[in-house]
Coordinates of all heavy atoms in Angstrom, one line a residue:
M1 N 11.9 25.8 -17.7 CA 10.6 25.2 -17.9 C 10.0 25.7 -19.2 O 10.0 26.9 -19.4 CB 9.8 25.6 -16.7 CG 8.4 25.1 -16.7 SD 7.3 25.6 -15.3 CE 8.3 26.0 -14.0
K2 N 9.6 24.8 -20.0 CA 9.0 25.1 -21.3 C 7.5 24.9 -21.2 O 7.0 23.8 -21.4 CB 9.6 24.3 -22.4 CG 11.0 24.5 -22.6 CD 11.6 23.6 -23.7 CE 13.0 23.8 -23.9 NZ 13.6 22.9 -24.9
L3 N 6.8 26.0 -20.9 CA 5.3 26.0 -20.8 C 4.7 26.1 -22.2 O 5.2 26.9 -23.0 CB 4.9 27.2 -20.0 CG 3.6 27.1 -19.2 CD1 3.4 25.9 -18.4 CD2 3.4 28.3 -18.4
A4 N 3.7 25.3 -22.5 CA 3.2 25.4 -23.9 C 1.7 25.1 -23.9 O 1.1 24.5 -23.0 CB 3.8 24.3 -24.7
Q5 N 1.0 25.6 -24.9 CA -0.4 25.2 -25.2 C -0.4 24.3 -26.3 O 0.3 24.5 -27.3 CB -1.2 26.5 -25.4 CG -2.7 26.3 -25.4 CD -3.5 27.5 -25.1 OE1 -3.6 27.9 -24.0 NE2 -3.9 28.2 -26.1
F6 N -1.3 23.3 -26.3 CA -1.3 22.3 -27.3 C -2.7 21.7 -27.4 O -3.5 21.8 -26.6 CB -0.3 21.2 -27.1 CG -0.5 20.4 -25.8 CD1 -1.1 19.1 -25.8 CD2 0.0 20.9 -24.6 CE1 -1.2 18.4 -24.7 CE2 -0.2 20.1 -23.4 CZ -0.8 18.9 -23.5
H7 N -2.9 21.0 -28.6 CA -4.2 20.3 -28.8 C -3.9 18.8 -28.8 O -3.0 18.3 -29.4 CB -4.7 20.7 -30.2 CG -6.1 20.3 -30.5 ND1 -7.2 21.0 -30.0 CD2 -6.6 19.2 -31.2 CE1 -8.3 20.3 -30.4 NE2 -8.0 19.3 -31.1
Y8 N -4.8 18.1 -28.0 CA -4.6 16.6 -27.9 C -6.0 16.0 -27.6 O -6.7 16.5 -26.7 CB -3.6 16.3 -26.8 CG -3.4 14.9 -26.5 CD1 -2.7 14.1 -27.3 CD2 -3.9 14.3 -25.3 CE1 -2.5 12.7 -27.0 CE2 -3.7 13.0 -25.0 CZ -3.0 12.2 -25.9 OH -2.8 10.9 -25.6
M9 N -6.3 15.0 -28.3 CA -7.6 14.3 -28.1 C -8.8 15.3 -28.1 O -9.6 15.2 -27.2 CB -7.5 13.4 -26.9 CG -6.5 12.3 -27.0 SD -6.5 11.2 -25.6 CE -8.1 10.3 -25.8
D10 N -8.8 16.1 -29.1 CA -9.9 17.0 -29.3 C -10.1 18.1 -28.3 O -11.2 18.7 -28.1 CB -11.3 16.3 -29.5 CG -11.3 15.4 -30.7 OD1 -10.7 15.8 -31.7 OD2 -11.9 14.3 -30.6
E11 N -9.0 18.4 -27.5 CA -9.1 19.4 -26.5 C -7.8 20.3 -26.5 O -6.7 19.7 -26.8 CB -9.2 18.8 -25.1 CG -10.5 18.2 -24.8 CD -10.6 17.7 -23.4 OE1 -9.8 18.1 -22.5 OE2 -11.5 16.9 -23.1
D12 N -8.0 21.6 -26.2 CA -6.8 22.4 -26.1 C -6.4 22.3 -24.6 O -7.2 22.3 -23.7 CB -7.2 23.9 -26.4 CG -7.5 24.1 -27.8 OD1 -7.2 23.2 -28.6 OD2 -8.0 25.2 -28.2
R13 N -5.1 22.2 -24.4 CA -4.5 22.0 -23.1 C -3.3 22.8 -22.9 O -2.7 23.3 -23.8 CB -4.2 20.5 -22.9 CG -5.3 19.6 -23.2 CD -4.9 18.2 -23.4 NE -6.0 17.3 -23.8 CZ -6.3 16.2 -23.1 NH1 -5.7 15.9 -22.0 NH2 -7.3 15.5 -23.5
I14 N -2.8 22.9 -21.6 CA -1.5 23.5 -21.3 C -0.6 22.5 -20.6 O -1.1 21.6 -19.9 CB -1.6 24.8 -20.5 CG1 -2.4 24.6 -19.2 CG2 -2.2 25.9 -21.3 CD1 -2.4 25.8 -18.3
G15 N 0.6 22.6 -20.9 CA 1.5 21.6 -20.3 C 3.0 22.1 -20.2 O 3.3 23.2 -20.6
V16 N 3.8 21.3 -19.7 CA 5.2 21.5 -19.7 C 6.0 20.5 -20.4 O 5.8 19.3 -20.2 CB 5.7 21.6 -18.2 CG1 7.2 21.8 -18.1 CG2 5.0 22.7 -17.4
A17 N 6.8 20.9 -21.4 CA 7.6 20.0 -22.1 C 8.7 19.4 -21.3 O 9.3 20.1 -20.5 CB 8.2 20.7 -23.3
L18 N 8.9 18.1 -21.4 CA 9.9 17.3 -20.7 C 11.0 16.9 -21.7 O 10.7 15.9 -22.5 CB 9.4 16.1 -20.0 CG 8.3 16.3 -19.0 CD1 7.8 15.0 -18.4 CD2 8.8 17.2 -17.8
G19 N 12.0 17.6 -21.9 CA 13.0 17.3 -22.9 C 12.5 17.6 -24.3 O 11.6 18.4 -24.5
D20 N 12.9 16.7 -25.2 CA 12.5 16.9 -26.6 C 11.5 15.9 -27.1 O 11.2 15.8 -28.3 CB 13.7 16.8 -27.5 CG 14.7 17.9 -27.3 OD1 14.3 19.0 -26.9 OD2 15.9 17.7 -27.4
S21 N 10.9 15.1 -26.2 CA 10.0 14.1 -26.6 C 8.7 13.9 -25.9 O 7.8 13.2 -26.4 CB 10.7 12.7 -26.6 OG 11.1 12.4 -25.3
L22 N 8.5 14.6 -24.7 CA 7.3 14.4 -23.9 C 6.8 15.7 -23.4 O 7.5 16.7 -23.3 CB 7.6 13.5 -22.7 CG 8.0 12.0 -23.0 CD1 8.5 11.4 -21.7 CD2 6.9 11.3 -23.7
I23 N 5.5 15.7 -23.1 CA 4.9 16.9 -22.4 C 3.9 16.4 -21.3 O 3.3 15.3 -21.5 CB 4.1 17.8 -23.5 CG1 3.8 19.1 -22.9 CG2 2.9 17.1 -24.1 CD1 3.4 20.2 -23.9
V24 N 3.8 17.1 -20.2 CA 2.9 16.8 -19.2 C 1.7 17.7 -19.3 O 1.9 18.9 -19.3 CB 3.6 17.0 -17.8 CG1 2.5 16.8 -16.7 CG2 4.7 15.9 -17.6
D25 N 0.5 17.1 -19.4 CA -0.7 17.9 -19.4 C -1.0 18.3 -18.0 O -1.3 17.5 -17.1 CB -1.8 17.0 -20.0 CG -3.2 17.7 -20.0 OD1 -3.4 18.6 -19.2 OD2 -4.0 17.3 -20.8
L26 N -0.9 19.6 -17.7 CA -1.0 20.1 -16.3 C -2.3 19.9 -15.7 O -2.5 19.5 -14.5 CB -0.6 21.5 -16.2 CG 0.9 21.8 -16.5 CD1 1.1 23.3 -16.7 CD2 1.8 21.2 -15.5
H27 N -3.4 20.1 -16.4 CA -4.8 19.9 -15.9 C -5.0 18.4 -15.6 O -5.5 18.0 -14.5 CB -5.8 20.4 -16.9 CG -7.2 20.2 -16.3 ND1 -7.8 21.2 -15.5 CD2 -8.1 19.3 -16.4 CE1 -9.0 20.8 -15.2 NE2 -9.2 19.6 -15.7
E28 N -4.6 17.5 -16.5 CA -4.8 16.1 -16.3 C -3.9 15.6 -15.2 O -4.3 14.8 -14.4 CB -4.4 15.4 -17.6 CG -4.8 13.9 -17.6 CD -6.2 13.6 -17.6 OE1 -7.0 14.4 -18.1 OE2 -6.6 12.6 -17.0
A29 N -2.7 16.1 -15.1 CA -1.8 15.6 -14.0 C -2.4 16.0 -12.7 O -2.4 15.2 -11.7 CB -0.4 16.3 -14.2
A30 N -2.9 17.3 -12.5 CA -3.5 17.7 -11.3 C -4.7 16.8 -10.9 O -4.8 16.5 -9.7 CB -3.9 19.2 -11.3
A31 N -5.5 16.5 -11.9 CA -6.6 15.6 -11.6 C -6.2 14.2 -11.2 O -6.7 13.6 -10.2 CB -7.5 15.6 -12.9
E32 N -5.2 13.6 -11.9 CA -4.8 12.3 -11.6 C -4.1 12.2 -10.2 O -4.2 11.2 -9.6 CB -3.8 11.8 -12.7 CG -4.4 11.4 -14.0 CD -5.4 10.3 -13.9 OE1 -5.2 9.3 -13.2 OE2 -6.5 10.4 -14.6
L33 N -3.5 13.3 -9.9 CA -2.8 13.3 -8.6 C -3.8 13.7 -7.4 O -3.4 13.7 -6.3 CB -1.6 14.3 -8.6 CG -0.5 13.9 -9.5 CD1 0.4 15.1 -9.8 CD2 0.3 12.8 -8.9
K34 N -5.0 14.0 -7.8 CA -6.1 14.3 -6.9 C -5.7 15.5 -6.0 O -5.8 15.6 -4.8 CB -6.5 13.1 -6.0 CG -7.0 12.0 -6.8 CD -7.5 10.9 -6.0 CE -8.0 9.7 -6.7 NZ -8.1 9.6 -8.1
L35 N -5.1 16.5 -6.7 CA -4.7 17.8 -6.0 C -5.9 18.6 -5.7 O -6.9 18.5 -6.3 CB -3.7 18.6 -6.9 CG -2.4 17.8 -7.2 CD1 -1.5 18.7 -8.1 CD2 -1.7 17.4 -6.0
P36 N -5.8 19.4 -4.6 CA -7.1 20.1 -4.1 C -7.4 21.3 -4.9 O -8.1 22.2 -4.4 CB -6.6 20.4 -2.7 CG -5.2 20.6 -2.7 CD -4.7 19.6 -3.7
F37 N -7.1 21.4 -6.2 CA -7.5 22.5 -7.0 C -7.6 22.1 -8.4 O -7.0 21.1 -8.8 CB -6.5 23.7 -6.9 CG -5.1 23.3 -7.2 CD1 -4.6 23.4 -8.5 CD2 -4.2 22.9 -6.2 CE1 -3.3 23.1 -8.8 CE2 -2.9 22.6 -6.5 CZ -2.4 22.7 -7.9
N38 N -8.4 22.8 -9.2 CA -8.6 22.5 -10.6 C -7.6 23.3 -11.4 O -7.6 24.5 -11.3 CB -10.0 22.8 -11.1 CG -11.0 21.8 -10.6 OD1 -10.6 20.6 -10.5 ND2 -12.2 22.2 -10.3
F39 N -6.7 22.7 -12.2 CA -5.8 23.4 -12.9 C -6.4 23.9 -14.2 O -7.3 23.3 -14.8 CB -4.6 22.5 -13.3 CG -3.3 23.2 -13.4 CD1 -2.5 23.4 -12.3 CD2 -2.9 23.7 -14.6 CE1 -1.4 24.1 -12.3 CE2 -1.7 24.4 -14.6 CZ -0.9 24.6 -13.5
P40 N -6.1 25.1 -14.6 CA -6.8 25.7 -15.8 C -6.5 24.9 -17.1 O -5.5 24.2 -17.2 CB -6.2 27.1 -15.9 CG -4.9 27.1 -15.1 CD -5.1 26.0 -14.1
Y41 N -7.4 25.1 -18.1 CA -7.2 24.5 -19.4 C -6.5 25.4 -20.4 O -6.0 24.9 -21.4 CB -8.6 24.2 -20.0 CG -9.2 23.0 -19.4 CD1 -10.2 23.1 -18.4 CD2 -8.9 21.7 -19.8 CE1 -10.9 22.0 -17.9 CE2 -9.5 20.6 -19.2 CZ -10.5 20.8 -18.3 OH -11.1 19.7 -17.8
T42 N -6.4 26.7 -20.1 CA -5.8 27.6 -21.1 C -4.7 28.4 -20.5 O -4.7 28.6 -19.3 CB -6.9 28.5 -21.7 OG1 -7.3 29.5 -20.7 CG2 -8.1 27.8 -22.3
M43 N -3.9 28.9 -21.4 CA -2.8 29.8 -20.9 C -3.3 31.1 -20.3 O -2.8 31.6 -19.4 CB -1.8 30.0 -22.1 CG -0.5 30.6 -21.6 SD 0.5 29.4 -20.7 CE 1.1 28.3 -22.1
R44 N -4.4 31.6 -20.9 CA -5.0 32.9 -20.4 C -5.4 32.7 -19.0 O -5.3 33.5 -18.1 CB -6.1 33.3 -21.3 CG -5.6 34.0 -22.6 CD -6.8 34.5 -23.3 NE -7.3 35.7 -22.6 CZ -8.2 36.5 -23.1 NH1 -8.6 36.4 -24.3 NH2 -8.6 37.5 -22.4
E45 N -6.1 31.5 -18.7 CA -6.5 31.2 -17.3 C -5.4 31.1 -16.4 O -5.4 31.6 -15.3 CB -7.4 30.0 -17.3 CG -8.7 30.1 -18.0 CD -9.4 28.7 -18.1 OE1 -8.9 27.7 -17.6 OE2 -10.5 28.7 -18.6
L46 N -4.3 30.4 -16.9 CA -3.1 30.3 -16.0 C -2.5 31.6 -15.7 O -2.1 31.9 -14.6 CB -2.1 29.4 -16.7 CG -0.8 29.1 -15.9 CD1 -1.1 28.3 -14.6 CD2 0.2 28.3 -16.8
I47 N -2.4 32.5 -16.7 CA -1.8 33.8 -16.5 C -2.6 34.6 -15.5 O -2.1 35.4 -14.7 CB -1.7 34.6 -17.9 CG1 -0.6 33.9 -18.7 CG2 -1.4 36.0 -17.7 CD1 -0.6 34.3 -20.2
S48 N -4.0 34.4 -15.5 CA -4.8 35.2 -14.6 C -4.6 34.8 -13.2 O -5.0 35.5 -12.3 CB -6.3 34.9 -15.0 OG -6.7 33.7 -14.6
F49 N -3.9 33.6 -12.9 CA -3.5 33.2 -11.6 C -2.5 34.2 -11.0 O -2.2 34.1 -9.8 CB -2.9 31.8 -11.6 CG -4.0 30.7 -11.5 CD1 -5.2 30.9 -12.0 CD2 -3.6 29.5 -11.1 CE1 -6.2 29.8 -12.0 CE2 -4.5 28.4 -11.0 CZ -5.8 28.6 -11.5
G50 N -1.8 34.9 -11.9 CA -0.8 35.8 -11.4 C 0.4 35.1 -10.8 O 0.9 34.1 -11.4
S51 N 1.0 35.6 -9.8 CA 2.2 35.0 -9.2 C 2.0 33.6 -8.7 O 3.0 32.8 -8.6 CB 2.8 35.9 -8.1 OG 1.9 36.0 -7.0
V52 N 0.8 33.2 -8.4 CA 0.5 31.8 -8.0 C 0.7 30.8 -9.1 O 1.0 29.6 -8.8 CB -0.9 31.8 -7.4 CG1 -1.3 30.4 -7.0 CG2 -1.1 32.7 -6.2
A53 N 0.6 31.3 -10.3 CA 0.7 30.3 -11.5 C 2.0 29.6 -11.5 O 2.0 28.3 -11.7 CB 0.5 31.1 -12.8
Q54 N 3.1 30.3 -11.3 CA 4.4 29.6 -11.4 C 4.6 28.5 -10.3 O 5.0 27.4 -10.6 CB 5.6 30.6 -11.4 CG 6.9 30.0 -11.7 CD 8.0 31.1 -11.7 OE1 7.8 32.2 -11.2 NE2 9.1 30.7 -12.4
E55 N 4.2 28.9 -9.1 CA 4.3 27.9 -8.0 C 3.3 26.7 -8.2 O 3.7 25.6 -7.9 CB 4.0 28.6 -6.7 CG 5.1 29.5 -6.2 CD 6.4 28.8 -6.1 OE1 6.5 27.7 -5.6 OE2 7.4 29.3 -6.6
S56 N 2.2 27.0 -8.8 CA 1.2 25.9 -9.1 C 1.8 24.9 -10.1 O 1.7 23.7 -10.0 CB -0.1 26.5 -9.6 OG -0.7 27.3 -8.7
V57 N 2.4 25.5 -11.2 CA 3.0 24.6 -12.2 C 4.2 23.8 -11.6 O 4.2 22.6 -11.8 CB 3.6 25.5 -13.4 CG1 4.4 24.6 -14.3 CG2 2.4 26.1 -14.1
R58 N 5.0 24.4 -10.8 CA 6.1 23.7 -10.1 C 5.6 22.6 -9.2 O 6.1 21.5 -9.1 CB 7.0 24.7 -9.4 CG 7.9 25.5 -10.3 CD 8.9 26.2 -9.5 NE 9.8 26.9 -10.4 CZ 10.2 28.1 -10.3 NH1 9.7 28.9 -9.3 NH2 11.0 28.6 -11.2
F59 N 4.5 22.9 -8.5 CA 3.9 21.9 -7.6 C 3.4 20.7 -8.3 O 3.7 19.6 -7.9 CB 2.8 22.6 -6.7 CG 2.3 21.6 -5.7 CD1 3.0 21.3 -4.6 CD2 1.0 21.1 -5.9 CE1 2.5 20.5 -3.6 CE2 0.5 20.2 -4.9 CZ 1.2 19.9 -3.8
V60 N 2.7 21.0 -9.4 CA 2.2 19.8 -10.2 C 3.3 19.0 -10.8 O 3.3 17.8 -10.8 CB 1.3 20.3 -11.4 CG1 0.9 19.2 -12.3 CG2 0.0 20.9 -10.8
L61 N 4.4 19.7 -11.3 CA 5.5 18.9 -11.8 C 6.2 18.1 -10.7 O 6.6 17.0 -10.9 CB 6.5 19.9 -12.5 CG 6.1 20.5 -13.8 CD1 7.1 21.4 -14.3 CD2 5.9 19.3 -14.8
F62 N 6.4 18.7 -9.6 CA 7.0 18.0 -8.4 C 6.2 16.8 -8.1 O 6.8 15.7 -7.9 CB 7.2 19.0 -7.2 CG 7.6 18.3 -6.0 CD1 9.0 17.9 -5.8 CD2 6.8 18.0 -5.0 CE1 9.4 17.3 -4.7 CE2 7.2 17.3 -3.8 CZ 8.5 17.0 -3.7
Q63 N 4.9 16.9 -8.0 CA 4.1 15.8 -7.6 C 4.1 14.7 -8.7 O 4.0 13.5 -8.4 CB 2.7 16.3 -7.3 CG 2.5 17.1 -6.1 CD 3.0 16.4 -4.8 OE1 2.7 15.2 -4.6 NE2 3.6 17.1 -3.9
S64 N 4.2 15.2 -10.0 CA 4.2 14.2 -11.1 C 5.5 13.4 -11.0 O 5.5 12.2 -11.3 CB 4.2 15.0 -12.4 OG 3.0 15.7 -12.6
E65 N 6.6 14.0 -10.7 CA 7.9 13.3 -10.5 C 7.8 12.4 -9.3 O 8.4 11.3 -9.3 CB 9.0 14.3 -10.4 CG 9.3 15.1 -11.7 CD 10.3 16.2 -11.5 OE1 10.7 16.4 -10.4 OE2 10.6 16.8 -12.5
R66 N 7.2 12.8 -8.3 CA 7.1 12.0 -7.0 C 6.2 10.8 -7.2 O 6.5 9.7 -6.6 CB 6.5 12.9 -6.0 CG 6.5 12.3 -4.6 CD 6.1 13.3 -3.6 NE 6.1 12.7 -2.3 CZ 5.5 13.3 -1.2 NH1 4.9 14.4 -1.3 NH2 5.5 12.6 -0.1
Y67 N 5.2 10.9 -8.1 CA 4.3 9.8 -8.3 C 4.2 9.5 -9.8 O 3.1 9.7 -10.4 CB 2.9 10.1 -7.8 CG 2.9 10.4 -6.3 CD1 2.8 11.7 -5.8 CD2 3.0 9.4 -5.3 CE1 2.8 12.0 -4.5 CE2 3.0 9.7 -4.0 CZ 2.9 11.0 -3.6 OH 2.9 11.2 -2.2
P68 N 5.2 9.0 -10.4 CA 5.3 8.9 -11.9 C 4.3 7.8 -12.4 O 3.9 7.8 -13.5 CB 6.7 8.5 -12.2 CG 7.2 7.9 -10.9 CD 6.5 8.7 -9.8
H69 N 3.9 6.9 -11.5 CA 2.9 5.8 -11.9 C 1.5 6.4 -12.1 O 0.7 5.7 -12.7 CB 2.9 4.7 -10.9 CG 2.5 5.2 -9.5 ND1 3.4 5.8 -8.7 CD2 1.4 5.1 -8.8 CE1 2.8 6.1 -7.6 NE2 1.6 5.7 -7.6
R70 N 1.3 7.6 -11.7 CA -0.1 8.2 -11.8 C -0.2 9.2 -12.9 O -1.3 9.5 -13.3 CB -0.4 8.9 -10.4 CG -0.6 7.8 -9.3 CD -0.9 8.4 -8.0 NE -2.2 8.9 -8.0 CZ -2.7 9.6 -6.9 NH1 -1.9 9.8 -5.9 NH2 -3.9 10.1 -6.9
V71 N 0.9 9.7 -13.4 CA 0.9 10.7 -14.4 C 1.7 10.2 -15.6 O 2.9 9.9 -15.5 CB 1.5 12.0 -14.0 CG1 1.6 13.1 -15.1 CG2 0.8 12.6 -12.8
K72 N 1.0 10.1 -16.8 CA 1.7 9.6 -18.0 C 1.9 10.8 -19.0 O 0.9 11.3 -19.5 CB 0.8 8.5 -18.7 CG 1.5 7.9 -19.8 CD 0.7 6.8 -20.4 CE 1.5 6.2 -21.5 NZ 0.8 5.7 -22.6
P73 N 3.1 11.2 -19.2 CA 3.4 12.2 -20.2 C 3.0 11.8 -21.6 O 2.9 10.6 -21.9 CB 4.9 12.4 -20.1 CG 5.3 11.8 -18.8 CD 4.4 10.7 -18.5
I74 N 2.7 12.8 -22.4 CA 2.2 12.6 -23.7 C 3.4 12.8 -24.7 O 4.1 13.7 -24.6 CB 1.1 13.6 -24.1 CG1 0.0 13.5 -23.1 CG2 0.6 13.4 -25.5 CD1 -1.0 14.6 -23.1
P75 N 3.6 11.8 -25.7 CA 4.6 12.0 -26.7 C 4.3 13.3 -27.5 O 3.2 13.5 -27.9 CB 4.5 10.8 -27.5 CG 3.8 9.8 -26.7 CD 2.9 10.5 -25.8
L76 N 5.4 14.0 -27.8 CA 5.2 15.3 -28.6 C 4.7 15.0 -30.0 O 4.0 15.8 -30.6 CB 6.5 16.0 -28.6 CG 7.0 16.6 -27.3 CD1 8.3 17.4 -27.5 CD2 6.0 17.5 -26.7
T77 N 4.9 13.8 -30.5 CA 4.5 13.4 -31.8 C 3.0 13.2 -31.8 O 2.4 13.2 -32.9 CB 5.1 12.1 -32.2 OG1 4.9 11.1 -31.2 CG2 6.6 12.2 -32.4
D78 N 2.3 13.1 -30.7 CA 0.8 13.0 -30.6 C 0.1 14.3 -30.4 O -1.2 14.2 -30.3 CB 0.5 12.0 -29.5 CG 1.0 10.6 -29.7 OD1 1.4 10.3 -30.8 OD2 0.9 9.8 -28.7
I79 N 0.8 15.4 -30.3 CA 0.1 16.6 -30.1 C 0.2 17.6 -31.3 O 1.1 17.4 -32.1 CB 0.6 17.4 -28.8 CG1 2.1 17.9 -29.1 CG2 0.6 16.4 -27.6 CD1 2.5 18.9 -28.0
E80 N -0.6 18.6 -31.3 CA -0.5 19.7 -32.2 C -0.2 21.0 -31.4 O -0.9 21.3 -30.5 CB -1.8 19.9 -33.0 CG -1.9 21.1 -33.9 CD -3.3 21.4 -34.4 OE1 -4.1 20.4 -34.4 OE2 -3.5 22.5 -34.9
W81 N 0.9 21.6 -31.7 CA 1.3 22.8 -31.0 C 0.3 23.9 -31.3 O -0.1 24.1 -32.4 CB 2.7 23.3 -31.4 CG 3.7 22.3 -31.0 CD1 4.4 21.5 -31.8 CD2 4.3 22.1 -29.7 NE1 5.3 20.7 -31.1 CE2 5.3 21.1 -29.8 CE3 4.0 22.7 -28.4 CZ2 6.0 20.7 -28.7 CZ3 4.7 22.2 -27.3 CH2 5.7 21.2 -27.4
L82 N 0.0 24.8 -30.3 CA -0.9 25.9 -30.5 C -0.1 27.2 -30.1 O 1.0 27.1 -29.5 CB -2.1 25.8 -29.6 CG -3.0 24.7 -29.8 CD1 -4.1 24.6 -28.8 CD2 -3.7 24.8 -31.2
P83 N -0.6 28.4 -30.5 CA 0.1 29.6 -30.1 C 0.2 29.6 -28.6 O -0.7 29.1 -27.9 CB -0.8 30.7 -30.6 CG -1.6 30.1 -31.7 CD -1.7 28.6 -31.4
P84 N 1.2 30.2 -28.0 CA 1.3 30.3 -26.5 C 0.1 30.8 -25.8 O -0.3 30.3 -24.8 CB 2.6 31.2 -26.3 CG 3.3 31.1 -27.6 CD 2.3 30.9 -28.7
V85 N -0.5 31.9 -26.4 CA -1.7 32.5 -25.8 C -2.7 32.7 -27.0 O -2.4 33.5 -27.9 CB -1.4 33.8 -25.1 CG1 -2.7 34.4 -24.6 CG2 -0.4 33.6 -24.0
Q86 N -3.7 32.0 -27.0 CA -4.7 32.2 -28.1 C -5.6 33.4 -27.7 O -6.0 33.6 -26.5 CB -5.6 30.9 -28.2 CG -4.8 29.8 -28.8 CD -5.6 28.6 -29.0 OE1 -6.5 28.2 -28.2 NE2 -5.5 27.9 -30.1
R87 N -6.0 34.2 -28.7 CA -6.8 35.3 -28.5 C -6.4 36.2 -27.3 O -7.1 36.4 -26.3 CB -8.3 34.9 -28.3 CG -8.8 34.2 -29.5 CD -10.2 33.7 -29.3 NE -10.4 32.7 -28.3 CZ -10.2 31.4 -28.5 NH1 -9.6 31.0 -29.6 NH2 -10.4 30.5 -27.5
P88 N -5.1 36.7 -27.4 CA -4.6 37.5 -26.2 C -5.4 38.8 -26.1 O -6.0 39.3 -27.0 CB -3.2 37.9 -26.6 CG -3.1 37.7 -28.1 CD -4.2 36.7 -28.5
G89 N -5.5 39.3 -24.8 CA -6.3 40.5 -24.6 C -5.5 41.7 -25.1 O -4.3 41.6 -25.4
K90 N -6.2 42.8 -25.1 CA -5.6 44.1 -25.6 C -5.0 44.9 -24.5 O -5.3 44.8 -23.4 CB -6.6 44.9 -26.4 CG -7.0 44.2 -27.6 CD -8.0 45.0 -28.4 CE -8.4 44.2 -29.6 NZ -9.3 44.9 -30.5

């Protein structure tokens, strides 16, 4: 799983790369799938979830694959890559 932070449509987001050409915006996917939790917008927020973070990411990806008509991956050519963790803590 390739977790990444990126900029798209004037917002910083986190997602999972699908192969070499697409990325799933995890927050947007969770919202489109009407999941019962708000997915974080930043990698720092995701990391703060602790061990729940990995399961949350897997669950969103599983649901995205299960309902592909509701989640549209973003082409990598449309995003700007960001550092994995912006402003990391000390």
Side-chain angles (χ1 to χ4, degrees):
M1 179 180 338
K2 295 179 184 178
L3 204 55
Q5 191 158 276
F6 62 99
H7 190 81
Y8 176 72
M9 296 186 70
D10 297 324
E11 291 184 13
D12 293 349
R13 303 162 185 242
I14 54 175
V16 175
L18 303 175
D20 294 330
S21 60
L22 299 171
I23 192 164
V24 171
D25 178 335
L26 294 171
H27 183 85
E28 189 66 29
E32 288 297 321
L33 293 163
K34 299 184 181 2
L35 299 180
F37 56 87
N38 287 327
F39 213 86
Y41 284 101
T42 68
M43 196 68 76
R44 283 185 70 167
E45 291 173 0
L46 182 64
I47 290 168
S48 74
F49 277 24
S51 61
V52 174
Q54 190 174 19
E55 287 305 314
S56 298
V57 170
R58 284 192 175 129
F59 183 75
V60 170
L61 287 177
F62 173 76
Q63 294 298 322
S64 297
E65 291 170 356
R66 188 172 177 197
Y67 302 104
H69 59 283
R70 295 177 69 188
V71 177
K72 185 176 184 215
I74 302 166
L76 294 181
T77 55
D78 293 351
I79 70 165
E80 175 187 341
W81 295 104
L82 297 174
V85 178
Q86 293 182 316
R87 298 178 294 284
K90 295 182 179 182

